Amino acid sequence: MNNLHAKTLDIINLNVTLPNGHRLLRDVSLSLEPGEVRALVGESGAGKSMIGKAVLGILPTGISISQGEILLEGTHLNALTPATRRKTIAQTSALIPQDPLTALNPVRKIGPQITDPLTRIHGWTKARALARTRELLDRVHIRNPDRVLNSYPHELSGGMRQRILIAAAFAPSPRLIVADEPTTALDVTVQKEILRLIRELQQETGTGVLFVTHDMGVVAKISQKVTVLFGGRVVEDAPTRDIFENPEHAYTRALIAATPTPNASIEPFRPVPPALIAELHREIQADDDRFSKRAQP
Amino acid sequence: MLLKTVFVRLLTTAITLFGVAVVVFTLVRVAPGNPISMMLPPGATEEDIAALTALYGFDKSLPHQFMIWIGGVIQGDFGTSITLRQPVDELVLGRLPATLELSLMALLIALALGGLVAVIGARKRSTGTEVGLDLTTGAVLSIPDFLWGLIFVLLFGVLWPVLSISGRVDPRLDIDFTTNFYFFEGLLRGRWDVVSSTFSHMLMPAMSLALPLAAMIAQLLKQNLKEVLNQDYTTLARVRGFSETSVILREALQNAALPTLALVGVQFTFLIGGTVIVERLFAYEGLGNMAIDAVINRDLPLIQGIVLLFAALFTVINLLVDLSYTFLNPRLRNG
């Protein structure tokens, strides 16, 4: 907002650390142009969700940013006071969570859960918030929105709740959405629909999306850029087409090879070779040694 | 569905109360000491004792006595107090409002104080403030209600005498109320002299009863809050820009209150049990104080009446706790 030409998101040499000094993210750099979808892929523990949490300021207690910069729409988040940072993040960003079953407050009705942030944080009138909510519920194919707005979460299905959470995320017209494995908790038939809705809404609104996933099949469908992570390090960063057609890093090739295809039943499953994992761990070790030397010259 | 629930509830209540009636009736008669020997002067003859025993029906067999008493109870006649020579139901119901006011005041104080400490503790979790609050609530919890009563008497009755240490209300006040709920009726009638006098008498015993419960609520509610504050919906609320305090109050509190409520229900009945000693300590004219007199004087009908009333009170409280559960948890409604 303060800089029209700024990238939606710019992460520079981000290091996220446990209290004991162990690094969960190691010099991660990536950026997101307005309207771009970037997939963050990697196995469990690769740090892909941690990037989203760091950007949104919701790192778990004890885990903190030890080095590096996060620029949201050109604003240095580190330079802000906690309260201003919270407001800045809320004004520009939103989160589509992983598990729709736990992401809605069980004792509150759906309606206020969507409209509250719009009226109380974004300062909209009640009527405007309600109109926008209805519009988006309609957009994510929820019939009789009035009944849904008056429901409690337990009265709705998982797919319906995820569509509501997508509507809630897009409602304040954010510039950045972090989608944290938004289809993982859903069954396969619903996954496709959810993915399509996110892509459609993203294209209509020109919102930048950080799409966290471990599913290379999803990556191919939704993103323009891909960041491959291993052990909190960026292994490869390239346009999606290049990742699939011409993967540079052996780990990326192994990930793609490990993705089940429709022919999976006749092809044997090919896990990432242990030798490659060992090689990656050696690289991380060397990197950590350099990092600790840098920290105490 | 609802009708069935109500019916089952009423039936279990009736069975519970009957059981309580049997137990208390038997216990007070099996326990040593009897009211007749307390009523007669030294040197009474065997004939005098026999005559008086027959007058009160203590010569009949235990089951026979029970049938007579329970038959009266079902018709609303709880017998006559041996020492006070008045109908038990009048005596007991006359004292009930005093104890109810005291217990409710204590409950309110416990909820407000415990809730506040829990919210502050959750807000300042993993800091020195939380540790300090934990230590404080632990210490408060380890001191029983009657000891708190003595501490308060010493502090605000002796060292800095600002509160009344004895009785329920200033006896010089002219109270022509229709009920014995002096505090509540005083509020409704705008009789601020009565309200402030009862409040000043009630505050110390209420605080004594409330502190241990408040500490318990503070510990449990804080623990539940901390668990809820790790839930995805609270994280989402933070992303949406709500401050931590507002996340706690708007998103977490109601969810955390649910498991706390079960404990509060049970502990509130213990609190009412605690009124017996605390009322005595402050010479507060409630049921508990009357219960102690009744026991000392072996006033069997009065003891039975008081115990039955306490039992009925506990079942009502349990019912209210269950109802508030459905109120707080939408998943239990129309389920």
Side-chain angles (χ1 to χ4, degrees):
Chain A
M1 279 184 213
N2 26 11
N3 186 347
L4 283 175
H5 304 290
K7 290 169 177 161
T8 301
L9 177 67
D10 205 1
I11 300 177
I12 305 160
N13 284 333
L14 183 66
N15 285 281
V16 163
T17 318
L18 285 173
N20 63 15
H22 179 76
R23 286 193 294 165
L24 300 175
L25 291 180
R26 301 172 152 90
D27 289 318
V28 169
S29 295
L30 58 86
S31 65
L32 193 71
E33 300 294 335
E36 190 174 61
V37 179
R38 176 180 285 275
L40 302 179
V41 290
E43 54 198 68
S44 301
K48 48 194 194 304
S49 285
M50 209 50 76
I51 296 176
K53 291 198 169 94
V55 170
L56 297 175
I58 47 170
L59 286 171
T61 321
I63 298 176
S64 60
I65 296 174
S66 52
Q67 272 187 36
E69 284 286 339
I70 299 174
L71 283 87
L72 202 54
E73 297 259 286
T75 309
H76 284 260
L77 289 185
N78 310 27
L80 304 175
T81 62
T84 340
R85 189 184 312 142
R86 197 183 71 231
K87 279 193 193 108
T88 309
I89 290 169
Q91 295 292 347
T92 51
S93 327
L95 169 69
I96 301 176
Q98 176 169 6
D99 187 355
L101 299 186
T102 57
L104 287 163
N105 191 334
V107 300
R108 301 185 65 208
K109 287 185 177 177
I110 300 289
Q113 294 199 52
I114 308 180
T115 55
D116 266 9
L118 302 178
T119 53
R120 296 170 60 91
I121 303 294
H122 296 266
W124 295 12
T125 62
K126 234 181 157 144
R128 183 181 167 200
L130 207 58
R132 174 72 175 154
T133 303
R134 284 225 178 79
E135 179 193 329
L136 271 156
L137 286 183
D138 182 58
R139 191 61 199 76
V140 297
H141 309 303
I142 284 179
R143 305 174 214 310
N144 49 15
D146 286 308
R147 194 184 64 81
V148 168
L149 289 175
N150 253 315
S151 301
Y152 287 98
H154 71 276
E155 296 166 328
L156 307 169
S157 71
M160 197 119 156
R161 288 191 232 181
Q162 191 60 297
R163 282 188 278 157
I164 287 166
L165 286 161
I166 290 170
F170 279 98
S173 310
R175 302 308 305 143
L176 167 71
I177 283 184
V178 176
D180 189 1
E181 308 210 32
T183 57
T184 308
L186 302 169
D187 62 68
V188 186
T189 46
V190 184
Q191 280 186 11
K192 265 184 149 173
E193 158 87 356
I194 293 297
L195 218 54
R196 195 171 53 79
L197 279 175
I198 295 178
R199 196 180 47 206
E200 279 175 11
L201 277 166
Q202 178 271 328
Q203 280 167 0
E204 283 167 29
T205 56
T207 308
V209 175
L210 268 193
F211 200 99
V212 177
T213 182
H214 57 259
D215 186 341
M216 290 304 275
V218 170
V219 171
K221 283 195 197 95
I222 200 160
S223 69
Q224 287 102 49
K225 299 260 178 66
V226 181
T227 302
V228 182
L229 292 142
F230 183 88
R233 275 172 85 232
V234 176
V235 172
E236 186 164 357
D237 180 342
T240 308
R241 183 185 296 258
D242 295 357
I243 287 281
F244 281 97
E245 287 177 1
N246 191 17
E248 226 164 73
H249 200 282
Y251 181 68
T252 313
R253 281 197 293 277
L255 266 191
I256 294 169
T259 308
T261 60
N263 307 330
S265 51
I266 47 170
E267 270 175 43
F269 172 63
R270 284 177 291 177
V272 179
L276 177 55
I277 302 280
E279 169 62 26
L280 284 163
H281 277 293
R282 270 195 298 280
E283 278 179 28
I284 288 171
Q285 191 53 52
D287 195 45
D288 278 357
D289 292 344
R290 278 197 302 278
F291 182 76
S292 47
K293 265 186 212 134
R294 201 170 78 198
Q296 28 184 240
Chain B
M1 185 65 202
L2 183 73
L3 217 67
K4 196 183 154 203
T5 319
V6 171
F7 179 74
V8 168
R9 195 87 202 194
L10 284 175
L11 195 69
T12 50
T13 304
I15 293 171
T16 308
L17 290 181
F18 183 79
V20 169
V22 171
V23 169
V24 64
F25 189 88
T26 315
L27 272 184
V28 293
R29 276 163 182 75
V30 173
N34 82 67
I36 303 300
S37 57
M38 310 271 302
M39 290 157 74
L40 287 169
T45 62
E46 286 294 324
E47 289 82 55
D48 293 337
I49 295 176
L52 207 58
T53 306
L55 178 69
Y56 283 98
F58 291 132
D59 56 339
K60 298 188 175 74
S61 73
L62 230 119
H64 191 180
Q65 288 184 43
F66 181 73
M67 291 314 289
I68 295 173
W69 177 64
I70 203 78
V73 166
I74 289 168
Q75 292 164 37
D77 173 13
F78 287 77
T80 308
S81 159
I82 295 175
T83 45
L84 300 169
R85 323 258 164 180
Q86 287 177 47
V88 167
D89 50 323
E90 272 177 30
L91 285 168
V92 167
L93 291 178
R95 285 291 186 97
L96 178 65
T99 297
L100 276 185
E101 282 189 346
L102 178 63
S103 315
L104 284 177
M105 177 68 77
L107 180 65
L108 287 182
I109 293 174
L111 285 174
L113 214 58
L116 186 70
V117 172
V119 167
I120 294 174
R123 175 73 188 79
K124 302 274 178 199
R125 60 191 180 280
S126 335
T127 68
T129 312
E130 190 194 1
V131 177
L133 287 176
D134 281 353
L135 289 175
T136 314
T137 51
V140 169
L141 200 53
S142 62
I143 300 176
D145 46 16
F146 57 87
L147 209 53
W148 278 117
L150 291 173
I151 294 171
F152 284 134
V153 168
L154 206 62
L155 288 179
F156 303 109
V158 179
L159 291 177
W160 185 40
V162 283
L163 293 170
S164 319
I165 56 165
S166 150
R168 187 180 173 204
V169 68
D170 189 337
R172 285 164 300 184
L173 283 173
D174 173 35
I175 302 178
D176 50 350
F177 287 1
T178 40
T179 69
N180 279 346
F181 287 99
Y182 292 167
F183 186 73
F184 294 127
E185 195 171 339
L187 277 179
L188 288 176
R189 287 175 184 261
R191 281 284 302 272
W192 305 118
D193 53 338
V194 177
V195 170
S196 75
S197 175
T198 43
F199 185 74
S200 144
H201 282 83
M202 214 180 346
L203 194 55
M204 280 200 287
M207 282 294 287
S208 315
L209 291 165
L211 277 183
L213 180 57
M216 217 176 288
I217 292 174
Q219 288 187 348
L220 189 72
L221 185 61
K222 191 202 70 185
Q223 202 50 46
N224 292 332
L225 274 173
K226 282 170 73 179
E227 274 164 36
V228 172
L229 287 169
N230 281 327
Q231 297 285 319
D232 289 351
Y233 54 86
T234 54
T235 306
L236 207 53
R238 285 184 204 107
V239 173
R240 287 169 177 166
F242 290 105
S243 70
E244 194 60 29
T245 310
S246 141
V247 170
I248 291 175
L249 296 179
R250 297 171 59 85
E251 304 286 340
L253 195 55
Q254 195 180 339
N255 284 291
L258 282 167
T260 314
L261 193 68
L263 171 108
V264 173
V266 175
Q267 290 299 323
F268 184 50
T269 55
F270 286 146
L271 186 151
I272 293 180
T275 58
V276 173
I277 292 177
V278 172
E279 282 182 7
R280 190 64 168 190
L281 194 62
F282 289 92
Y284 186 88
E285 292 135 27
L287 265 184
N289 212 344
M290 184 184 253
I292 292 184
D293 284 334
V295 169
I296 291 174
N297 297 326
R298 302 288 186 275
D299 193 337
L300 305 189
L302 189 54
I303 298 176
Q304 288 157 201
I306 292 174
V307 173
L308 261 192
L309 186 67
F310 270 130
L313 204 57
F314 292 169
T315 55
V316 169
I317 289 167
N318 278 327
L319 184 68
L320 289 178
V321 168
D322 285 359
L323 285 178
S324 55
Y325 240 94
T326 13
F327 174 73
L328 281 174
N329 190 348
R331 278 162 295 190
L332 292 179
R333 281 174 230 157
N334 59 51

